[in-house]
Amino acid sequence: MLAGIKLKNIFFIILGAAIFSFGLVHFNIQHELAEGGFTGITLILLFAFKWDPAIMNLVLNIPMFLLGWKLLGRRSFIYTVLGTVSVSVFLKVFMKYQYNIHLEGDMFLVALFAGVFIGIGLGIIFRFGGTTGGVDIIARLGHKYRGWSMGRTMFMFDAGVILLSWIVYLDHRSVMYTLVALFVGARVIDFVQEGAYAARGAFIISDHQDAIATKIAVDMDRGVTVFRGYGHFTKSDREILYCVVGKNELMRLKNIVISVDPHAFVSVTEVHDVLGEGFTLDDQKQPLEK
């Protein structure tokens, strides 16, 4: 195995490609919804000329591979090629062996499932270092050589693809359901990349900060960081405690603070991703097994 290439990543990128392709075939293609990016272009070519989306996915992305292989780096390039080829393979399989999901009478449900399947598939691929090529490479090249915003480039490209889809084969109703699917897919991608686990960060201001920090460390085995702050109303320097805990530990943290200082000020924020000791590393700085 090449240095830096992990079997776990390969497995999940292939799994994500399978989920993505299943959703694309059984919801977008069966019910004639559009999609953004190069995938959306393959759907336009399918409905306009009956060209095989599995083959066109490779045809469109091969030039992008040639342009972007130096920019991506070896590991990202391998994962990107794997993701793109896997999508084409699964598209070929699912196009040949389709399962008819009869939801013609409920296009809103079709849009929801399209967004969920495509969002889960792409989210898994992105989370394990892969992409499906296409617009991602264009956006990176544009950012590097022209200074274009990657987000804006991808948005403009996707908007252009949806507009072209509308001209070629979508009706007004399908355009609206496509937008629903894209919105749901974007939210699901974020959810999968961030993980179902969400931590909480707590800022604590108290006159008994040392006692609170010690009790958190002893009772919860969580680290506490001290920031130097300044109270505008009191015109005095204050120490602010910051602690990150699991969502299921939040109430325990609040009870500890209240038991030491019932008048403490506590502000809780949502933390979408946490790396480090107690979350992804053990006390020996080794990765935790998942």
Side-chain angles (χ1 to χ4, degrees):
M1 185 63 62
L2 296 173
I5 304 299
K6 299 179 179 179
L7 287 174
K8 181 179 75 171
N9 292 45
I10 291 174
F11 170 79
F12 279 105
I13 288 172
I14 294 173
L15 175 63
I19 296 172
F20 170 82
S21 301
F22 181 90
L24 192 69
V25 170
H26 291 88
F27 298 104
N28 294 71
I29 293 177
Q30 282 190 9
H31 302 278
E32 296 190 5
L33 294 183
E35 178 59 32
F38 274 32
T39 303
I41 295 177
T42 66
L43 297 187
I44 293 173
L45 296 174
L46 169 66
F47 289 114
F49 306 107
K50 305 302 179 183
W51 291 355
D52 189 338
I55 295 175
M56 295 313 303
N57 182 57
L58 291 177
V59 170
L60 292 173
N61 275 292
I62 286 174
M64 294 299 100
F65 294 154
L66 297 176
L67 288 173
W69 72 275
K70 287 187 177 180
L71 178 66
L72 292 173
R74 184 180 63 176
R75 181 171 61 183
S76 294
F77 176 75
I78 291 173
Y79 287 155
T80 294
V81 171
L82 174 65
T84 304
V85 172
S86 297
V87 166
S88 284
V89 170
F90 285 113
L91 281 176
K92 195 72 173 178
V93 172
F94 291 131
M95 287 292 288
K96 186 174 182 180
Y97 302 103
Q98 291 191 41
Y99 175 75
N100 290 321
I101 302 175
H102 302 289
L103 294 174
E104 291 81 359
D106 195 343
M107 286 299 294
F108 186 72
L109 197 58
V110 170
L112 288 179
F113 273 103
V116 168
F117 271 85
I118 289 176
I120 291 175
L122 289 179
I124 292 173
I125 291 172
F126 295 159
R127 181 164 184 169
F128 289 91
T131 71
T132 54
V135 184
D136 180 71
I137 296 175
I138 292 176
R140 293 192 192 195
L141 290 171
H143 179 71
K144 181 175 182 179
Y145 295 108
R146 305 291 296 182
W148 298 342
S149 163
M150 287 186 63
R152 183 176 298 175
T153 300
M154 296 176 77
F155 174 79
M156 293 300 294
F157 192 96
D158 286 347
V161 171
I162 298 301
L163 179 60
L164 184 59
S165 301
W166 187 7
I167 294 171
V168 174
Y169 71 94
L170 290 182
D171 57 25
H172 292 38
R173 185 167 175 263
S174 295
V175 169
M176 290 187 286
Y177 284 124
T178 292
L179 295 177
V180 171
L182 290 173
F183 177 80
V184 172
R187 301 285 75 78
V188 174
I189 287 172
D190 290 342
F191 177 79
V192 174
Q193 285 191 278
E194 294 164 358
Y197 176 82
R200 295 292 184 265
F203 291 95
I204 305 165
I205 302 175
S206 169
D207 292 330
H208 306 279
Q209 66 272 6
D210 287 338
I212 292 174
T214 299
K215 194 168 181 61
I216 291 172
V218 172
D219 292 0
M220 299 187 65
D221 195 25
R222 290 295 185 193
V224 179
T225 300
V226 180
F227 293 101
R228 304 294 178 183
Y230 178 77
H232 180 267
F233 180 77
T234 61
K235 307 298 182 184
S236 61
D237 294 328
R238 302 295 299 266
E239 289 187 343
I240 304 169
L241 305 181
Y242 180 68
C243 180
V244 176
V245 298
K247 185 168 58 176
N248 60 323
E249 298 176 304
L250 181 60
M251 187 55 63
R252 187 179 176 192
L253 175 67
K254 290 180 179 179
N255 290 335
I256 286 175
V257 174
I258 293 172
S259 69
V260 176
D261 182 6
H263 304 290
F265 178 85
V266 181
S267 173
V268 179
T269 61
E270 196 168 81
V271 180
H272 292 288
D273 204 359
V274 186
L275 304 176
E277 186 175 341
F279 293 93
T280 58
L281 301 176
D282 61 21
D283 54 6
Q284 303 300 317
K285 309 299 183 183
Q286 297 300 310
L288 292 170
E289 294 295 330
K290 293 186 178 181

